Structure formats: C-alpha cells, structure tokens
Amino acid sequence: PTLFADASGGRAATAFSAKDLQDVADLFARLFRLAEPLAVGPPRRALQQPSRVIRALYLVQMARSTADPAIKAAIYCFMFECLVATGRSDKKRLTSQRGSQLAASGGDCDEALRTLAKLYDYRSAFAHGDVLDLASEHDLQTVVQQADQLLRQALRRILSDDALVELFSSSNQA
C-alpha cells in the first residue's frame, strides 16, 4: 500500500494549465464553505455528519490511500451509495442507475451504468473471497479507473451547482 496512489494503483505525474488550477481553486472554495461547520465546535464522527458530500469525501481519502484496486472498488461502491442511495434494498441497481445519471450528465449514461454495475460485481467478488484470474484483474483496474473518473465528474457536478450542493448536504430526511 502506498499513500496517494492513482486509480490504477500506481503513481503518475500530472500537468495542469492555469485554467485547470483556477477551476480547482473555485471548486475547493465551494468545498471549504461546505466543510466550514466541521471546523467549528467539537469534532464530528462520520455518522454525525449529515452532508453526503462530506461523507463521500471521507471515503475518497480512504480509496486514494490504497493501491489495491479491489479495495478501491469496494470503497467507490460505498462512496456512490453514500451519495445517491436512500433505501436499504436493491443497492446495486439503484446506486448504479442514480450514480450513472449523476456522473454522466451530458455523457454516456449507459456506459457509466455498465461501469458501476461491474464495479459492484468486483466489490462482491472481493467481499466474498473470489480469486481473480489475470484478465479479470486487468479489467478490475480499468473499471476502477473508470469509476474514479465518474466519481470526479459526480463531485464536480455537485460542487458546481448551488442547488445540488444543498441537496447533497442534507440527510435522507430532506
């Protein structure tokens, strides 16, 4: 395990333009405003945090801190559930559908749906002790990379829209 591993489990250098950096700064400013209540008062545990975005970001940090793609798959499934699941049954189907709609706005929703469904299949394989062959392991890495991109798109979409920030900053009761 390594700290700050990319979605494929490795490390890679990235180049950013000035516009890229400004976009990131703008999104972080929104995120910091969303997280500001966390800095005031006593620390909150995850279950005391009503914001789905903040809960999801806890999970993003966990996923990014491991190089193992099977663990990343499990955490990404949990993260998408955190963002879009409201019930306690049929999580794979509902989370895959809602997560793909959130992440693939203007994009290929069907492809995003297939990616999230496969991500759930790999999560289940990991959770139930299946052993993957080399081809499946390579596919798992690809699916995790695609899910990481969907995660980025979903969070960017939420943080770029005040109404979505408000919606995803509340608990199920909202």
Side-chain angles (χ1 to χ4, degrees):
T2 61
L3 191 57
F4 305 120
D6 65 18
S8 67
R11 295 181 186 197
T14 306
F16 297 102
S17 69
K19 183 182 179 333
D20 292 336
L21 293 175
Q22 185 58 54
D23 289 346
V24 169
D26 293 344
L27 289 173
F28 267 99
R30 286 176 158 276
L31 179 61
F32 288 139
R33 282 193 301 278
L34 182 64
E36 187 176 358
L38 298 176
V40 178
R44 287 180 162 180
R45 296 190 182 275
L47 286 174
Q48 296 171 320
Q49 177 52 253
S51 172
R52 292 172 171 271
V53 174
I54 297 299
R55 287 182 183 205
L57 289 172
Y58 286 149
L59 296 167
V60 168
Q61 291 174 15
M62 289 174 57
R64 297 268 164 79
S65 68
T66 183
D68 189 308
I71 294 172
K72 284 181 184 289
I75 295 170
Y76 284 159
C77 285
F78 191 21
M79 190 275 320
F80 273 103
E81 282 182 23
C82 188
L83 283 175
V84 300
T86 54
R88 298 197 187 274
S89 63
D90 206 11
K91 287 235 189 300
K92 176 184 175 181
R93 184 182 64 80
L94 289 175
T95 301
S96 295
Q97 286 176 344
R98 292 174 182 170
S100 64
Q101 290 168 353
L102 177 65
S105 67
D108 189 350
C109 194
D110 290 339
E111 182 62 31
L113 179 62
R114 282 189 293 276
T115 296
L116 292 178
K118 282 179 84 172
L119 188 73
Y120 261 91
D121 291 341
Y122 282 120
R123 182 215 58 88
S124 293
F126 169 70
H128 301 291
D130 295 353
V131 176
L132 299 181
D133 58 27
L134 193 56
S136 295
E137 204 169 309
H138 177 70
D139 185 55
L140 168 60
Q141 286 185 335
T142 300
V143 169
V144 166
Q145 287 174 332
Q146 292 167 341
D148 185 77
Q149 186 59 36
L150 292 173
L151 154 70
R152 291 169 191 264
Q153 290 168 207
L155 289 174
R156 180 179 212 108
R157 182 172 179 206
I158 292 168
L159 292 172
S160 297
D161 183 319
D162 290 335
L164 288 177
V165 167
E166 182 65 29
L167 176 67
F168 285 92
S169 294
S170 60
S171 65
N172 278 349
Q173 288 76 28

